[in-house]
Amino acid sequence: MAIGKIREGLYGVIAEFHDPQALLDATNAVREHGYTSIDAFSPFPIHGLAEAVGFHKSRLSAIVLGMGILGGLGGFFMCWYANVVSYPLNIGGKPYNSWPAWIPITFECTILLAAFGAVLGMLALNGLPMPYHPVFNVRRFDSASRDKFFLVIQARDPRFNLDEARALLKTLGPREVTDVPW
Amino acid sequence: MATKDEKPPLHELRPVTQEVRIPERFIPTPTIEPGHNFATITDHISTIVLRRKTPFGWLIGFLIALGGVGLLMATLALLVGKGVGIWGINHPVGWGMDIINFVWWIGIGHAGTLISAILLLLRQEWRTSINRFAEAMTLFAVASAGLYPAFHTGRPWYDFWLFPYPNTMTLWPQFRSPLMWDVFAVSTYATVSALFWYVGLIPDLATLRDRATNLWVKRAYGAFALGWRGSAKHWHRYEHAYLLLAGLSTPLVLSVHTIVSFDFAVAQLPGWHATFFPPYFVAGAVFAGFAMVLTLAIPARKFFRLEDFITMKHLENMGKVMLATGLIVAYAYAMEWYYGLYSGNVFETFMLKNRATGPYWKMYVALWVCNGLAPQMMWLKRCRTSTFWLFVTAMFVNVGMWLERFVIIPASLHRDFLVSSWGMYHGSKYDWSFFIGSIGLFFALLFLFVRFLPMISIFEMRTLVPEAQVHAEGEEH
């Protein structure tokens, strides 16, 4: 499948490993050699791997907090506007601005928007959905969702040199090193 | 302080020459049977979904459930055609089996969120093999629950009036009403549960995409997998989002049954108007939910040969949770008597007497037997580790929690303040066909789920394999 394929040339060099420890060690080694545009692929989250590929701070918490605040304020405003401004009902002379009665809905709206923030924010920051990606061209990449571990050095890395990258990955005990076309 | 520092730490006082023998009962049982690796876990769980041949047992079960759906559709058609008069509701009992069943289903759903969110935050590793299944159960239970209030409105085609939107009638919903709170609580709960469930599924859908051989099957899973490729950065944000969702779902699940209990507690009716309703309802919900998870998990693990993943440890832990929440529920039943009698209020006292000796006394006794007595079996390890006794207890609780809502709703409504307005309530045959139909819907959805989606979270199971443990550079273990 080549839907969305827009570029020609080399995306990078990929190495396949058998176990998570080998992947983590190899990632650290590649990074110590000065490569910055690298990525690792594993069938489950590995502690410390994101830091090893040079990922530090996720903006997700801020998105979720912002959406939560928006949901809370919006939920409260909705109740207040409907029951105080637009359609006030006098029930036994009780105050119109009976805010404690609106807390449950305010709370639910907070959670709802924060949850959407978490899911859509995670997908957006991850750039998903992305049906086509060059690593899917690698013949054995199917096992990245089963039991194999991959490390890619991208061609856009300023230090990238095809032969050097291949040679470096081969020293790290991979099962196989292959080129990844765009 | 100085004298304290002179004492050696406790573990050094032990004679080191003595051979350390840990009694067997203190050795933790594994959450996954030994001998599995990343590949065997993946293959075992994904094969259940990807195999070509549909098991005969599945087909029979699905057809029976589909029969229930047919009954549901027929009932709903009649209901829409003739109105809620075909139900057993009357004056003074305006809330009958429709609300009983609504609360029953919503309560069942709570175990799914508890397992997936609260146990995640509490780092309970054993949740991993049952969370996907329990979350699916939550979704389908909420779907079944949602039918009841939607049709109880009498004119379900106007249900959108419950949602605030600018309209030509210049009307707004009354946001001070617990029934409006309920609309928001249940719809938020359904939405967030679906999001949580789907996010958990994404990496497993990618596994199915990569393992499927049929092109169209591959494309179908691929479309929903959103191009997931297991990148380290993606995993990092993914885990972050998953944790945040768990943190958001935890107060949410507590709020949902709290708000359901407000439907009753905010009214002035004796038997409803009680401040302890929210915790009592939440505990009851967890109680009912774990009973339903056991009801489903025990046959499913046998049928799909998942004993390696859903081990006796899981079943035993669920039995323990059922016991603990069952004790809370029994305590609440006892406290109802305390509050009622201590209040000295003639209507409260009468309500309690009427419960125990009135026309519905059999329901009340059965409630105590099912929810108070039966879970006490779980004190015995022999019962907790026997699928038969666990299943028996779970069935008692399923029935008992339905009876609890019956005792709360019609048994409180039928004899209130004025003797002249007393009445009786019996579910009509359409009440029962609606109930049986909703059970059919629930099981039909579950059958579809176990056929088309991995019922155990594959990627989370992989993390339980010993080889999944890594240590960073310079870290000593």
Side-chain angles (χ1 to χ4, degrees):
Chain A
M1 282 206 297
I3 300 167
K5 185 163 176 153
I6 44 165
R7 287 176 62 172
E8 296 295 326
L10 191 73
Y11 172 76
V13 187
I14 201 165
E16 178 187 336
F17 297 92
H18 279 297
D19 66 285
Q21 188 65 56
L23 175 68
L24 185 61
D25 295 343
T27 311
N28 280 319
V30 168
R31 200 165 160 70
E32 272 161 28
H33 273 80
Y35 290 99
T36 47
S37 292
I38 55 176
D39 202 356
F41 303 91
S42 57
F44 55 86
I46 295 172
H47 181 68
L49 191 62
E51 288 77 8
V53 297
F55 180 79
H56 290 296
K57 204 159 178 284
S58 159
R59 282 168 295 163
L60 197 59
S61 301
I63 294 176
V64 174
L65 180 68
M67 288 292 278
I69 292 172
L70 188 71
L73 293 177
F76 192 89
F77 174 79
M78 173 180 75
C79 298
W80 173 82
Y81 176 77
N83 289 166
V84 175
V85 178
S86 180
Y87 195 69
L89 278 173
N90 188 331
I91 296 164
K94 287 174 188 162
Y96 290 125
N97 188 19
S98 54
W99 65 268
W102 301 327
I103 295 303
I105 290 178
T106 306
F107 175 79
E108 300 300 332
C109 293
T110 310
I111 298 285
L112 184 66
L113 259 72
F116 270 110
V119 175
L120 299 180
M122 181 270 287
L123 291 177
L125 291 173
N126 278 351
L128 297 174
M130 187 189 282
Y132 176 80
H133 192 273
V135 289
F136 291 132
N137 294 329
V138 178
R139 189 175 49 89
R140 287 179 52 86
F141 195 75
D142 279 0
S143 8
S145 66
R146 182 166 176 256
D147 60 341
K148 293 290 183 279
F149 303 83
F150 291 85
L151 173 62
V152 70
I153 303 179
Q154 294 179 27
R156 68 162 191 217
D157 194 296
R159 286 181 55 95
F160 187 82
N161 171 295
L162 186 56
D163 297 327
E164 273 178 30
R166 272 189 201 147
L168 172 63
L169 286 173
K170 273 186 184 143
T171 61
L172 300 169
R175 183 191 171 280
E176 199 175 46
V177 176
T178 26
D179 297 350
V180 187
W182 262 103
Chain B
M1 287 307 284
T3 49
K4 259 185 187 172
D5 289 342
E6 281 161 23
K7 274 187 182 176
L10 200 60
H11 60 270
E12 283 182 27
L13 290 171
R14 286 187 192 144
V16 282
T17 48
Q18 191 188 337
E19 192 190 338
V20 184
R21 279 227 193 92
I22 302 168
E24 205 175 332
R25 65 177 185 279
F26 292 131
I27 300 174
T29 40
T31 43
I32 176 171
E33 291 296 328
H36 278 288
N37 57 38
F38 306 132
T40 58
I41 289 174
T42 310
D43 296 348
H44 193 114
I45 303 173
S46 59
T47 308
I48 295 173
V49 176
L50 291 174
R51 63 179 154 195
R52 272 158 198 280
K53 212 167 155 331
T54 301
F56 188 65
W58 182 92
L59 215 58
I60 297 291
F62 183 60
L63 281 178
I64 293 171
L66 220 51
V69 177
L71 187 65
L72 178 69
M73 292 304 155
T75 308
L76 291 183
L78 198 71
L79 187 63
V80 170
K82 291 202 167 184
V84 291
I86 64 168
W87 285 346
I89 50 173
N90 53 35
H91 286 291
V93 184
W95 281 9
M97 273 181 68
D98 41 333
I99 304 298
I100 297 171
N101 297 339
F102 162 70
V103 182
W104 190 71
W105 277 122
I106 281 280
I108 284 170
H110 278 48
T113 320
L114 185 100
I115 290 170
S116 56
I118 300 183
L119 295 186
L120 178 81
L121 297 181
L122 295 175
R123 296 171 191 277
Q124 295 294 305
E125 226 177 38
W126 59 276
R127 73 176 263 291
T128 299
S129 52
I130 50 172
N131 70 336
R132 169 75 46 74
F133 193 75
E135 282 169 40
M137 182 196 80
T138 294
L139 279 180
F140 307 148
V142 173
S144 292
L147 288 173
Y148 289 97
F151 282 91
H152 187 247
T153 56
R155 296 184 208 169
W157 50 95
Y158 287 135
D159 276 354
F160 63 92
W161 285 2
L162 288 164
F163 290 96
Y165 69 100
N167 55 68
T168 51
M169 301 172 287
T170 68
L171 286 170
W172 289 102
Q174 175 54 278
F175 289 118
R176 298 182 189 95
S177 160
L179 300 183
M180 276 312 296
W181 305 348
D182 216 19
V183 170
F184 276 81
V186 173
S187 54
T188 302
Y189 185 48
T191 314
V192 174
S193 302
L195 285 175
F196 200 29
W197 187 64
Y198 178 62
V199 166
L201 269 169
I202 291 173
D204 286 357
L205 290 169
T207 298
L208 293 175
R209 169 198 68 200
D210 293 341
R211 306 241 321 123
T213 43
N214 181 305
L215 179 67
W216 286 104
V217 174
K218 214 177 175 64
R219 281 187 184 166
Y221 286 121
F224 286 104
L226 307 177
W228 181 263
R229 53 187 187 273
S231 154
K233 293 171 192 173
H234 289 187
W235 275 123
H236 190 272
R237 290 198 193 94
Y238 178 89
E239 282 204 295
H240 195 162
Y242 203 69
L243 199 63
L244 287 172
L245 274 178
L248 291 168
S249 302
T250 299
L252 174 66
V253 68
L254 299 180
S255 83
V256 173
H257 230 56
T258 298
I259 289 174
V260 170
S261 83
F262 285 161
D263 291 346
F264 305 102
V266 174
Q268 279 100 334
L269 190 76
W272 287 10
H273 190 57
T275 47
F276 70 94
F277 257 39
Y280 161 37
F281 266 54
V282 171
V286 174
F287 185 46
F290 270 85
M292 187 54 91
V293 176
L294 277 169
T295 309
L296 303 173
I298 290 171
R301 84 194 258 277
K302 185 96 192 145
F303 185 74
F304 293 108
R305 295 187 193 86
L306 292 170
E307 285 96 338
D308 280 4
F309 304 137
I310 304 174
T311 62
M312 198 44 88
K313 179 181 175 161
H314 296 98
L315 301 184
E316 193 187 343
N317 281 353
M318 286 193 269
K320 284 179 187 168
V321 176
M322 211 159 63
L323 175 63
T325 47
L327 289 172
I328 300 174
V329 167
Y331 175 77
Y333 297 162
M335 278 300 108
E336 275 187 312
W337 282 90
Y338 172 76
Y339 282 129
L341 297 177
Y342 189 72
S343 74
N345 182 305
V346 61
F347 298 109
E348 291 278 343
T349 320
F350 172 75
M351 177 274 294
L352 290 167
K353 271 190 206 144
N354 184 49
R355 239 179 222 189
T357 60
Y360 296 117
W361 70 273
K362 284 179 191 160
M363 306 286 240
Y364 192 61
V365 172
L367 162 70
W368 269 102
V369 171
C370 290
N371 286 358
L373 222 54
Q376 305 308 322
M377 266 195 282
M378 294 291 105
W379 286 106
L380 303 172
K381 195 175 173 79
R382 198 196 296 166
C383 293
R384 281 200 313 265
T385 52
S386 142
T387 49
F388 175 75
W389 288 112
L390 276 169
F391 194 76
V392 167
T393 312
M395 288 314 282
F396 266 110
V397 175
N398 287 334
V399 175
M401 287 310 291
W402 191 87
L403 290 171
E404 179 196 299
R405 278 67 180 248
F406 190 94
V407 165
I408 291 173
I409 300 168
S412 302
L413 277 170
H414 87 123
R415 288 183 175 176
D416 61 0
F417 305 97
L418 268 182
V419 180
S420 60
S421 63
W422 284 5
M424 278 299 282
Y425 172 79
H426 299 285
S428 76
K429 60 184 173 193
Y430 299 111
D431 278 310
W432 285 103
S433 68
F434 196 178
F435 184 43
I436 295 165
S438 71
I439 296 175
L441 175 70
F442 175 75
F443 276 99
L445 291 169
L446 262 183
F447 272 108
L448 289 175
F449 160 70
V450 298
R451 184 69 188 90
F452 293 110
L453 291 170
M455 73 182 99
I456 294 179
S457 174
I458 308 175
F459 86 89
E460 282 178 295
M461 288 305 281
R462 290 189 197 113
T463 61
L464 295 184
V465 176
E467 289 87 63
Q469 299 305 317
V470 295
H471 38 92
E473 275 175 85
E475 221 177 288
E476 290 297 322
H477 277 276

mmCIF file of all heavy atoms in Angstrom, chain B residues 71-104:
data_model
loop_
_atom_site.group_PDB
_atom_site.id
_atom_site.type_symbol
_atom_site.label_atom_id
_atom_site.label_comp_id
_atom_site.label_asym_id
_atom_site.label_seq_id
_atom_site.Cartn_x
_atom_site.Cartn_y
_atom_site.Cartn_z
ATOM 1 N N LEU B 71 -36.739 -9.920 21.184
ATOM 2 C CA LEU B 71 -37.762 -9.667 22.204
ATOM 3 C C LEU B 71 -37.750 -8.193 22.599
ATOM 4 O O LEU B 71 -38.800 -7.561 22.763
ATOM 5 C CB LEU B 71 -37.481 -10.555 23.417
ATOM 6 C CG LEU B 71 -38.531 -10.568 24.518
ATOM 7 C CD1 LEU B 71 -39.820 -11.167 23.998
ATOM 8 C CD2 LEU B 71 -38.026 -11.358 25.719
ATOM 9 N N LEU B 72 -36.538 -7.656 22.735
ATOM 10 C CA LEU B 72 -36.392 -6.243 23.107
ATOM 11 C C LEU B 72 -37.033 -5.346 22.054
ATOM 12 O O LEU B 72 -37.794 -4.418 22.378
ATOM 13 C CB LEU B 72 -34.909 -5.908 23.262
ATOM 14 C CG LEU B 72 -34.569 -4.466 23.603
ATOM 15 C CD1 LEU B 72 -35.005 -4.148 25.010
ATOM 16 C CD2 LEU B 72 -33.085 -4.211 23.445
ATOM 17 N N MET B 73 -36.743 -5.650 20.783
ATOM 18 C CA MET B 73 -37.268 -4.809 19.705
ATOM 19 C C MET B 73 -38.794 -4.870 19.679
ATOM 20 O O MET B 73 -39.467 -3.852 19.521
ATOM 21 C CB MET B 73 -36.704 -5.279 18.355
ATOM 22 C CG MET B 73 -35.226 -5.035 18.196
ATOM 23 S SD MET B 73 -34.838 -3.307 18.454
ATOM 24 C CE MET B 73 -33.155 -3.398 18.964
ATOM 25 N N ALA B 74 -39.337 -6.085 19.864
ATOM 26 C CA ALA B 74 -40.796 -6.227 19.853
ATOM 27 C C ALA B 74 -41.411 -5.433 21.003
ATOM 28 O O ALA B 74 -42.403 -4.709 20.839
ATOM 29 C CB ALA B 74 -41.165 -7.697 19.953
ATOM 30 N N THR B 75 -40.773 -5.543 22.191
ATOM 31 C CA THR B 75 -41.286 -4.820 23.355
ATOM 32 C C THR B 75 -41.251 -3.321 23.120
ATOM 33 O O THR B 75 -42.210 -2.603 23.418
ATOM 34 C CB THR B 75 -40.441 -5.167 24.595
ATOM 35 O OG1 THR B 75 -40.365 -6.577 24.716
ATOM 36 C CG2 THR B 75 -41.047 -4.579 25.845
ATOM 37 N N LEU B 76 -40.138 -2.857 22.568
ATOM 38 C CA LEU B 76 -40.000 -1.414 22.365
ATOM 39 C C LEU B 76 -41.003 -0.924 21.322
ATOM 40 O O LEU B 76 -41.572 0.165 21.471
ATOM 41 C CB LEU B 76 -38.565 -1.077 21.928
ATOM 42 C CG LEU B 76 -37.498 -1.279 22.998
ATOM 43 C CD1 LEU B 76 -36.138 -0.854 22.482
ATOM 44 C CD2 LEU B 76 -37.833 -0.518 24.261
ATOM 45 N N ALA B 77 -41.242 -1.738 20.296
ATOM 46 C CA ALA B 77 -42.215 -1.335 19.278
ATOM 47 C C ALA B 77 -43.593 -1.172 19.912
ATOM 48 O O ALA B 77 -44.285 -0.167 19.706
ATOM 49 C CB ALA B 77 -42.259 -2.373 18.163
ATOM 50 N N LEU B 78 -43.949 -2.138 20.734
ATOM 51 C CA LEU B 78 -45.244 -2.071 21.407
ATOM 52 C C LEU B 78 -45.300 -0.886 22.362
ATOM 53 O O LEU B 78 -46.310 -0.178 22.472
ATOM 54 C CB LEU B 78 -45.467 -3.378 22.171
ATOM 55 C CG LEU B 78 -46.907 -3.650 22.569
ATOM 56 C CD1 LEU B 78 -47.728 -3.981 21.334
ATOM 57 C CD2 LEU B 78 -46.964 -4.785 23.572
ATOM 58 N N LEU B 79 -44.170 -0.660 23.049
ATOM 59 C CA LEU B 79 -44.087 0.422 24.030
ATOM 60 C C LEU B 79 -44.283 1.775 23.359
ATOM 61 O O LEU B 79 -45.029 2.635 23.842
ATOM 62 C CB LEU B 79 -42.728 0.352 24.714
ATOM 63 C CG LEU B 79 -42.501 1.293 25.890
ATOM 64 C CD1 LEU B 79 -43.460 0.957 27.001
ATOM 65 C CD2 LEU B 79 -41.072 1.168 26.381
ATOM 66 N N VAL B 80 -43.614 1.954 22.233
ATOM 67 C CA VAL B 80 -43.739 3.231 21.528
ATOM 68 C C VAL B 80 -45.150 3.378 20.971
ATOM 69 O O VAL B 80 -45.736 4.457 21.004
ATOM 70 C CB VAL B 80 -42.673 3.321 20.414
ATOM 71 C CG1 VAL B 80 -42.926 4.519 19.517
ATOM 72 C CG2 VAL B 80 -41.279 3.417 21.019
ATOM 73 N N GLY B 81 -45.725 2.259 20.507
ATOM 74 C CA GLY B 81 -47.063 2.312 19.938
ATOM 75 C C GLY B 81 -48.136 2.594 20.966
ATOM 76 O O GLY B 81 -49.027 3.413 20.751
ATOM 77 N N LYS B 82 -48.041 1.936 22.120
ATOM 78 C CA LYS B 82 -49.128 2.023 23.098
ATOM 79 C C LYS B 82 -48.813 2.942 24.274
ATOM 80 O O LYS B 82 -49.735 3.370 24.979
ATOM 81 C CB LYS B 82 -49.449 0.622 23.633
ATOM 82 C CG LYS B 82 -50.094 -0.276 22.590
ATOM 83 C CD LYS B 82 -50.846 -1.394 23.271
ATOM 84 C CE LYS B 82 -51.745 -2.110 22.299
ATOM 85 N NZ LYS B 82 -52.562 -3.136 22.958
ATOM 86 N N GLY B 83 -47.528 3.168 24.550
ATOM 87 C CA GLY B 83 -47.202 4.021 25.692
ATOM 88 C C GLY B 83 -46.848 3.221 26.928
ATOM 89 O O GLY B 83 -47.003 1.995 26.961
ATOM 90 N N VAL B 84 -46.380 3.930 27.969
ATOM 91 C CA VAL B 84 -45.875 3.238 29.165
ATOM 92 C C VAL B 84 -47.002 2.592 29.964
ATOM 93 O O VAL B 84 -46.733 1.947 30.978
ATOM 94 C CB VAL B 84 -45.038 4.181 30.056
ATOM 95 C CG1 VAL B 84 -43.746 4.546 29.382
ATOM 96 C CG2 VAL B 84 -45.819 5.423 30.434
ATOM 97 N N GLY B 85 -48.230 2.767 29.535
ATOM 98 C CA GLY B 85 -49.342 2.104 30.207
ATOM 99 C C GLY B 85 -49.257 0.583 30.169
ATOM 100 O O GLY B 85 -49.861 -0.097 30.993
ATOM 101 N N ILE B 86 -48.486 0.046 29.230
ATOM 102 C CA ILE B 86 -48.352 -1.417 29.184
ATOM 103 C C ILE B 86 -47.470 -1.929 30.322
ATOM 104 O O ILE B 86 -47.419 -3.121 30.581
ATOM 105 C CB ILE B 86 -47.796 -1.916 27.830
ATOM 106 C CG1 ILE B 86 -46.375 -1.412 27.601
ATOM 107 C CG2 ILE B 86 -48.709 -1.501 26.688
ATOM 108 C CD1 ILE B 86 -45.686 -2.100 26.424
ATOM 109 N N TRP B 87 -46.765 -1.017 30.987
ATOM 110 C CA TRP B 87 -45.959 -1.418 32.149
ATOM 111 C C TRP B 87 -46.852 -1.543 33.371
ATOM 112 O O TRP B 87 -48.024 -1.149 33.353
ATOM 113 C CB TRP B 87 -44.881 -0.365 32.436
ATOM 114 C CG TRP B 87 -43.736 -0.402 31.482
ATOM 115 C CD1 TRP B 87 -43.435 -1.389 30.604
ATOM 116 C CD2 TRP B 87 -42.751 0.620 31.310
ATOM 117 N NE1 TRP B 87 -42.300 -1.047 29.891
ATOM 118 C CE2 TRP B 87 -41.869 0.172 30.315
ATOM 119 C CE3 TRP B 87 -42.510 1.850 31.904
ATOM 120 C CZ2 TRP B 87 -40.779 0.919 29.897
ATOM 121 C CZ3 TRP B 87 -41.424 2.596 31.505
ATOM 122 C CH2 TRP B 87 -40.561 2.134 30.500
ATOM 123 N N GLY B 88 -46.236 -2.027 34.463
ATOM 124 C CA GLY B 88 -47.005 -2.159 35.693
ATOM 125 C C GLY B 88 -47.079 -0.888 36.518
ATOM 126 O O GLY B 88 -47.673 -0.882 37.588
ATOM 127 N N ILE B 89 -46.472 0.198 36.061
ATOM 128 C CA ILE B 89 -46.449 1.406 36.884
ATOM 129 C C ILE B 89 -47.845 1.996 37.030
ATOM 130 O O ILE B 89 -48.692 1.823 36.163
ATOM 131 C CB ILE B 89 -45.472 2.487 36.350
ATOM 132 C CG1 ILE B 89 -45.687 2.741 34.865
ATOM 133 C CG2 ILE B 89 -44.054 2.092 36.637
ATOM 134 C CD1 ILE B 89 -44.889 3.907 34.330
ATOM 135 N N ASN B 90 -48.068 2.677 38.142
ATOM 136 C CA ASN B 90 -49.378 3.223 38.455
ATOM 137 C C ASN B 90 -49.195 4.388 39.424
ATOM 138 O O ASN B 90 -48.079 4.787 39.706
ATOM 139 C CB ASN B 90 -50.255 2.122 39.067
ATOM 140 C CG ASN B 90 -49.582 1.445 40.257
ATOM 141 O OD1 ASN B 90 -48.868 2.095 41.029
ATOM 142 N ND2 ASN B 90 -49.772 0.152 40.395
ATOM 143 N N HIS B 91 -50.276 4.890 39.969
ATOM 144 C CA HIS B 91 -50.187 5.774 41.128
ATOM 145 C C HIS B 91 -50.415 4.906 42.339
ATOM 146 O O HIS B 91 -51.365 4.152 42.362
ATOM 147 C CB HIS B 91 -51.251 6.875 41.056
ATOM 148 C CG HIS B 91 -50.919 7.921 40.049
ATOM 149 N ND1 HIS B 91 -49.874 8.794 40.204
ATOM 150 C CD2 HIS B 91 -51.469 8.210 38.849
ATOM 151 C CE1 HIS B 91 -49.810 9.577 39.148
ATOM 152 N NE2 HIS B 91 -50.761 9.243 38.300
ATOM 153 N N PRO B 92 -49.559 4.931 43.316
ATOM 154 C CA PRO B 92 -48.448 5.851 43.562
ATOM 155 C C PRO B 92 -47.083 5.375 43.046
ATOM 156 O O PRO B 92 -46.102 6.083 43.257
ATOM 157 C CB PRO B 92 -48.427 5.900 45.094
ATOM 158 C CG PRO B 92 -48.849 4.540 45.506
ATOM 159 C CD PRO B 92 -49.804 4.051 44.463
ATOM 160 N N VAL B 93 -46.980 4.229 42.409
ATOM 161 C CA VAL B 93 -45.646 3.721 42.040
ATOM 162 C C VAL B 93 -45.361 4.111 40.590
ATOM 163 O O VAL B 93 -45.668 3.377 39.660
ATOM 164 C CB VAL B 93 -45.547 2.190 42.233
ATOM 165 C CG1 VAL B 93 -44.134 1.724 41.947
ATOM 166 C CG2 VAL B 93 -45.941 1.808 43.647
ATOM 167 N N GLY B 94 -44.770 5.285 40.409
ATOM 168 C CA GLY B 94 -44.458 5.771 39.068
ATOM 169 C C GLY B 94 -43.116 5.267 38.560
ATOM 170 O O GLY B 94 -42.816 5.345 37.375
ATOM 171 N N TRP B 95 -42.292 4.821 39.484
ATOM 172 C CA TRP B 95 -40.993 4.267 39.097
ATOM 173 C C TRP B 95 -41.019 2.790 39.416
ATOM 174 O O TRP B 95 -40.981 2.404 40.581
ATOM 175 C CB TRP B 95 -39.851 4.943 39.878
ATOM 176 C CG TRP B 95 -39.469 6.276 39.345
ATOM 177 C CD1 TRP B 95 -40.114 6.999 38.396
ATOM 178 C CD2 TRP B 95 -38.343 7.060 39.754
ATOM 179 N NE1 TRP B 95 -39.465 8.178 38.181
ATOM 180 C CE2 TRP B 95 -38.375 8.248 38.996
ATOM 181 C CE3 TRP B 95 -37.307 6.870 40.663
ATOM 182 C CZ2 TRP B 95 -37.422 9.244 39.134
ATOM 183 C CZ3 TRP B 95 -36.358 7.855 40.816
ATOM 184 C CH2 TRP B 95 -36.413 9.027 40.050
ATOM 185 N N GLY B 96 -41.036 1.971 38.417
ATOM 186 C CA GLY B 96 -41.084 0.535 38.654
ATOM 187 C C GLY B 96 -39.851 -0.153 38.127
ATOM 188 O O GLY B 96 -38.725 0.292 38.359
ATOM 189 N N MET B 97 -40.057 -1.205 37.377
ATOM 190 C CA MET B 97 -38.928 -2.012 36.917
ATOM 191 C C MET B 97 -38.012 -1.251 35.966
ATOM 192 O O MET B 97 -36.834 -1.580 35.856
ATOM 193 C CB MET B 97 -39.445 -3.280 36.243
ATOM 194 C CG MET B 97 -39.668 -4.395 37.250
ATOM 195 S SD MET B 97 -40.237 -5.906 36.491
ATOM 196 C CE MET B 97 -38.814 -6.427 35.561
ATOM 197 N N ASP B 98 -38.554 -0.237 35.292
ATOM 198 C CA ASP B 98 -37.699 0.532 34.392
ATOM 199 C C ASP B 98 -36.550 1.173 35.166
ATOM 200 O O ASP B 98 -35.390 1.120 34.730
ATOM 201 C CB ASP B 98 -38.520 1.593 33.657
ATOM 202 C CG ASP B 98 -39.513 2.264 34.578
ATOM 203 O OD1 ASP B 98 -39.933 1.627 35.564
ATOM 204 O OD2 ASP B 98 -39.862 3.412 34.338
ATOM 205 N N ILE B 99 -36.868 1.767 36.323
ATOM 206 C CA ILE B 99 -35.804 2.427 37.088
ATOM 207 C C ILE B 99 -34.970 1.399 37.861
ATOM 208 O O ILE B 99 -33.750 1.549 37.993
ATOM 209 C CB ILE B 99 -36.391 3.505 38.017
ATOM 210 C CG1 ILE B 99 -37.206 4.513 37.202
ATOM 211 C CG2 ILE B 99 -35.307 4.226 38.787
ATOM 212 C CD1 ILE B 99 -36.420 5.279 36.168
ATOM 213 N N ILE B 100 -35.626 0.330 38.323
ATOM 214 C CA ILE B 100 -34.863 -0.747 38.986
ATOM 215 C C ILE B 100 -33.791 -1.262 38.031
ATOM 216 O O ILE B 100 -32.612 -1.371 38.372
ATOM 217 C CB ILE B 100 -35.785 -1.929 39.367
ATOM 218 C CG1 ILE B 100 -36.834 -1.485 40.377
ATOM 219 C CG2 ILE B 100 -34.993 -3.103 39.896
ATOM 220 C CD1 ILE B 100 -37.910 -2.535 40.633
ATOM 221 N N ASN B 101 -34.211 -1.562 36.812
ATOM 222 C CA ASN B 101 -33.278 -2.143 35.842
ATOM 223 C C ASN B 101 -32.207 -1.133 35.432
ATOM 224 O O ASN B 101 -31.048 -1.496 35.228
ATOM 225 C CB ASN B 101 -34.029 -2.618 34.602
ATOM 226 C CG ASN B 101 -35.002 -3.712 34.943
ATOM 227 O OD1 ASN B 101 -34.868 -4.376 35.976
ATOM 228 N ND2 ASN B 101 -36.004 -3.891 34.103
ATOM 229 N N PHE B 102 -32.601 0.138 35.319
ATOM 230 C CA PHE B 102 -31.622 1.184 34.990
ATOM 231 C C PHE B 102 -30.513 1.207 36.040
ATOM 232 O O PHE B 102 -29.324 1.149 35.704
ATOM 233 C CB PHE B 102 -32.326 2.544 34.926
ATOM 234 C CG PHE B 102 -31.404 3.716 35.020
ATOM 235 C CD1 PHE B 102 -30.536 4.020 33.984
ATOM 236 C CD2 PHE B 102 -31.388 4.529 36.145
ATOM 237 C CE1 PHE B 102 -29.677 5.107 34.070
ATOM 238 C CE2 PHE B 102 -30.526 5.611 36.238
ATOM 239 C CZ PHE B 102 -29.682 5.892 35.203
ATOM 240 N N VAL B 103 -30.900 1.258 37.321
ATOM 241 C CA VAL B 103 -29.897 1.335 38.385
ATOM 242 C C VAL B 103 -29.083 0.045 38.438
ATOM 243 O O VAL B 103 -27.872 0.065 38.655
ATOM 244 C CB VAL B 103 -30.560 1.655 39.743
ATOM 245 C CG1 VAL B 103 -29.521 1.791 40.829
ATOM 246 C CG2 VAL B 103 -31.364 2.930 39.664
ATOM 247 N N TRP B 104 -29.756 -1.069 38.211
ATOM 248 C CA TRP B 104 -29.067 -2.364 38.225
ATOM 249 C C TRP B 104 -27.966 -2.399 37.165
ATOM 250 O O TRP B 104 -26.822 -2.738 37.434
ATOM 251 C CB TRP B 104 -30.099 -3.469 37.970
ATOM 252 C CG TRP B 104 -29.607 -4.873 38.175
ATOM 253 C CD1 TRP B 104 -29.314 -5.456 39.368
ATOM 254 C CD2 TRP B 104 -29.377 -5.860 37.170
ATOM 255 N NE1 TRP B 104 -28.928 -6.757 39.157
ATOM 256 C CE2 TRP B 104 -28.956 -7.036 37.826
ATOM 257 C CE3 TRP B 104 -29.496 -5.879 35.777
ATOM 258 C CZ2 TRP B 104 -28.651 -8.214 37.138
ATOM 259 C CZ3 TRP B 104 -29.188 -7.053 35.099
ATOM 260 C CH2 TRP B 104 -28.772 -8.199 35.774
#
